[in-house]
Amino acid sequence: MFTLQIEHSITDFSTWKAPFDRDPVGRSASGVLAHRIGRPVGELQYIVVELDFADLALAEQLLKNLRTQVWRSPANAPALAGAPKTRIIEAAS
């Protein structure tokens, strides 16, 4: 199992969440098995998104698509404040 973890500042959660829910990158079709959205306690203008994949190549491809199709487009990422921090984590037993 691989998890694409994305962290970034936002200007407003509701403004950020609406395009996330519209899913401009096609999470399910891209191999996302599950996703979680978290916000650090006391940091309402910051989010952590975790997207789970069975395959590393699918996680890498979705990250590429996010960079080129979503984060560069104000319409697809209207509340993004700054550059997202990303990493792909492999589950360890």
Side-chain angles (χ1 to χ4, degrees), residues 66-81:
L66 285 167
R67 287 178 175 148
T68 59
Q69 298 173 18
V70 177
W71 297 334
R72 291 184 183 179
S73 166
N76 289 335
L80 187 64

Side-chain angles (χ1 to χ4, degrees), residues 22-88:
R22 283 195 306 272
D23 193 14
V25 77
R27 286 185 300 273
S28 293
S30 298
V32 175
L33 302 173
H35 74 270
R36 291 168 298 288
I37 301 169
R39 294 163 74 179
V41 174
E43 294 185 54
L44 297 178
Q45 303 305 100
Y46 199 83
I47 58 157
V48 178
V49 178
E50 295 180 328
L51 306 170
D52 295 334
F53 297 84
D55 183 86
L56 175 60
L58 293 173
E60 292 171 331
Q61 183 61 50
L62 184 65
L63 177 55
K64 179 182 174 185
N65 292 345
L66 285 167
R67 287 178 175 148
T68 59
Q69 298 173 18
V70 177
W71 297 334
R72 291 184 183 179
S73 166
N76 289 335
L80 187 64
K85 177 181 174 185
T86 64
R87 65 181 142 233
I88 298 174

